[in-house]
Amino acid sequence: MGQAQILLSRRRLAPSRLLSESSRPFSRRIPRRLDSERDFVGDGMEEASTSASGGGDARNGGGQRAFPPARSGVFYRFTQQNLPAWKPAMTPGCVITIFLMIGVIFVPVGLVCLHASNHVAEIVHRYDIDCVPNAYKRNKQDYIKDSSVSKNCTQQVKVNYHMKAPIYVYYELHNFYQNHRRYVKSRSDKQLRYGQKYTDSSCGPVERNNGLPIVPCGLIAWSLFNDTYGFTRGSTEIKVNRKNISWKSDREHKFGKDVYPFNFQNGSLIGGGKLDPDLPLSQQEDLIVWMRTAALPQFRKLYGVIEEDIQAEEIITMHIANNYNTYTFGGKKSLILTTSTWLGGKNDFLGYAYLITGSLSLLLTILFALIHVKNPRPHGDANYLSWNRPNSNS
């Protein structure tokens, strides 16, 4: 009986206990974690109200927006886009003026660039097809791989314009991807500068041969271009200067003056040209030019410079040694003779790019001007911006 009375008393007290707990203030029953979140929200609201009123304080007192000490850093203000910024109001008149200036400047610049490019005399002659004997026309790979077949070839070109010295001789390759990641990384800059003791695994797969290091190592040097060219005018030879065709900084700082080719192109698989073992790498300018890899699969590299004028209507005989294998990967080879102007070589793209951009800007100028005259937009006036409107409280 005693236990039953105790249970009944507990059941009777339960509702009164709940009423007593519900009569307590709500804030006392909030967990401590929620109290902290409430404080955080309260601080945020206070900060928001401070930020909202900060613009008026800045306008009235010339001060800056007030921030808590923990949030007054430049990084926080940068991420929250609270740093001072210049926001120009792009009115129709301003936009029309900008496009007009672009058109007025770009069109003359494009005309000047095209005029300079048109004054460049250039001869482009593709020879990789014509230099293949008729017996090998259908199987060019057998021709280039057969060492018993002569690779010498003679081609003639007619000079249509007067070419003033210096005349630059380039070879051009198509479909040759020197920008391939593995190809570009297959070299050792330390070895080129200091010698074979710095041969490392970055030169793979052309790193060693018969247990000895290869200098220079790597795929770039192994695939050195080895076609040669000579020129005659009638019975007179035209001399080609092969010196100073590479960058001076490369000769002096990237290729060693006491580093000589060693064990180069001695394996069973020959990639390209050979090097003179008695000349240091700093004087092997064909190699230096080739080692500066191109960014695009179609590129030109300097072969030499002709330092005498070639008159118009003359016939130039080109003596070509067609040694380099481009038939395996479907490449093309061309020989180029070109002059230069103050703007460089022949480049019509730059002039056309300026002309097209300037012409489009002028067309947009006319279009925007007609729209602005026909349908003006007074609501786009800068006087309607919030910071230019008179204070409503005053």
Side-chain angles (χ1 to χ4, degrees), residues 20-37:
S20 62
E21 289 182 357
S22 62
S23 62
R24 295 178 184 177
F26 181 74
S27 59
R28 294 183 182 178
R29 293 186 290 111
I30 296 178
R32 184 171 298 177
R33 180 176 61 85
L34 295 178
D35 288 341
S36 61
E37 293 178 357

Side-chain angles (χ1 to χ4, degrees), residues 128-140 143-144 149-153 322 327:
D128 58 316
I129 301 297
D130 296 337
C131 286
V132 178
N134 294 328
Y136 292 92
K137 288 292 185 181
R138 295 186 177 182
N139 198 344
K140 302 179 181 64
Y143 155 74
I144 201 67
V149 179
S150 175
K151 304 299 187 296
N152 294 328
C153 174
N322 185 26
Y327 308 103

